[in-house]
Amino acid sequence: MSDDADFDPAAYDDCQSFVVEYGRELLDVLDPRPGERILDLGCGTGHLTAEIDAAVGEAGAAIGIDASPAMVAEARETYPDREFARVDATAFEPTDPFDAVFSNAALHWIDDQNAALAAVADALRPGGRFVAELGTTGNVAAIVDAVRAEGRARGVQVEAPWHFPSLGDYATRLESHGFEVRLARVFERETTLDGPDGLESWLDQFGDDLLAAFDDPADAITAVEDRLRSTHYDSGAEEWTVTYRRLQFRAILSAESPYSSSQ
Ligand code: BEZ
């Protein structure tokens, strides 16, 4: 997301709570153990960080980081006893190594993927694990395609701000940063947005950069709703559904990683 944009934490918790709910499935892949130090990269409003912190117990620690000042402020207010830092994932320099780095629905926001993976590798102890979920090829394609089509109709160029890599590309990238990919899968998740205004709230929350080229983004959102209503809106249930395509992985940092500073 652009530097001057920020998320609205209240709207995020109210309307995008599925992000955290689905993130709980990823906690099973993480399998946090008592005594571990775990970094939650892109922690948002901190709910999953708090769950990880509870799982690692007094002897361990979970630290949440996020680039959004508003999200970190909200996380600190909700969980005053837990540790959060406002820092860009590519610039994070921990004092002590982590046993695991966890990231749910955050990596696709990062422009410099190599810098992010180098920072993750540097944050982990050798043998530490990186467990993450992000959008993969075709993620939220219905929304992106409808916004692009509306852009073409109005003569504006739409740039999608997200990085949705294929499994093959990301596994190769992870390997080039010293990780061994032990588990990786792609799957589709039909995702119901929150109520009759769910698509509008989604675009309000996440679409600033996607809609940046439009003179009147609110009007563009209405037009995008019109484009998608017949295929993605259930008027009986009064809800929108879009296909999220996910890449989930668990990768282990090799002991000989050139990026690992903590042997
Ligand atoms: C996602 O979690 O896949 C996502 C969320 C917001 C914008 C784009 C993708």
Side-chain angles (χ1 to χ4, degrees):
M1 96 191 293
S2 58
D3 290 344
D4 54 353
D6 202 356
F7 286 122
D8 172 350
Y12 182 81
D13 273 354
D14 282 354
C15 304
Q16 321 298 339
S17 56
F18 60 82
V19 179
V20 171
E21 278 152 31
Y22 291 131
R24 291 206 173 91
E25 296 171 12
L26 192 63
L27 289 182
D28 291 340
V29 183
L30 175 67
D31 188 21
R33 294 160 218 155
E36 286 191 320
R37 270 175 60 74
I38 299 183
L39 178 69
D40 182 3
L41 186 161
C43 64
T45 45
H47 301 305
L48 295 174
T49 319
E51 292 190 26
I52 297 167
D53 201 47
V56 298
E58 292 279 305
I63 298 170
I65 62 167
D66 203 287
S68 157
M71 289 296 206
V72 169
E74 180 78 8
R76 285 184 175 140
E77 195 174 317
T78 312
Y79 303 106
D81 298 334
R82 263 120 191 174
E83 193 175 339
F84 299 97
R86 199 223 66 80
V87 59
D88 194 289
T90 58
F92 184 61
E93 291 179 5
T95 44
D96 296 307
F98 288 90
D99 298 297
V101 174
F102 172 87
S103 181
N104 177 47
L107 289 171
H108 47 238
W109 288 99
I110 298 174
D111 288 336
D112 190 342
Q113 291 289 317
N114 283 327
L117 294 188
V120 170
D122 211 29
L124 281 169
R125 66 167 171 77
R129 61 201 190 282
F130 182 22
V131 172
E133 180 177 312
L134 68 158
T136 187
T137 324
N139 189 41
V140 296
I143 298 176
V144 174
D145 290 350
V147 174
R148 281 195 207 285
E150 193 55 31
R152 278 194 300 278
R154 297 182 189 209
V156 300
Q157 180 76 27
V158 170
E159 300 290 344
W162 308 295
H163 178 75
F164 296 144
S166 70
L167 187 158
D169 281 353
Y170 218 68
T172 302
R173 201 188 280 272
L174 283 161
E175 284 176 1
S176 76
H177 284 274
F179 288 95
E180 182 185 23
V181 181
R182 297 274 176 94
L183 172 154
R185 66 180 187 126
V186 163
F187 59 97
E188 293 191 349
R189 182 184 282 139
E190 295 305 321
T191 302
T192 301
L193 309 181
D194 188 51
D197 299 327
L199 181 56
E200 182 187 2
S201 332
W202 193 97
L203 283 164
D204 276 343
Q205 180 80 37
F206 300 126
D208 281 0
D209 290 349
L210 185 67
L211 297 164
F214 291 92
D215 288 339
D216 184 347
D219 185 59
I221 291 176
T222 304
V224 167
E225 288 181 313
D226 290 344
R227 284 178 183 273
L228 291 177
R229 189 165 286 105
S230 67
T231 46
H232 291 79
Y233 186 66
D234 180 337
S235 52
E238 297 192 317
E239 60 194 22
W240 297 87
T241 301
V242 292
T243 304
Y244 272 43
R245 302 196 78 246
R246 315 311 280 166
L247 166 59
Q248 224 178 55
F249 64 83
R250 178 164 55 83
I252 305 297
L253 185 66
S254 321
E256 66 275 14
S257 165
Y259 291 97
S260 179
S261 54
S262 43
Q263 297 299 313

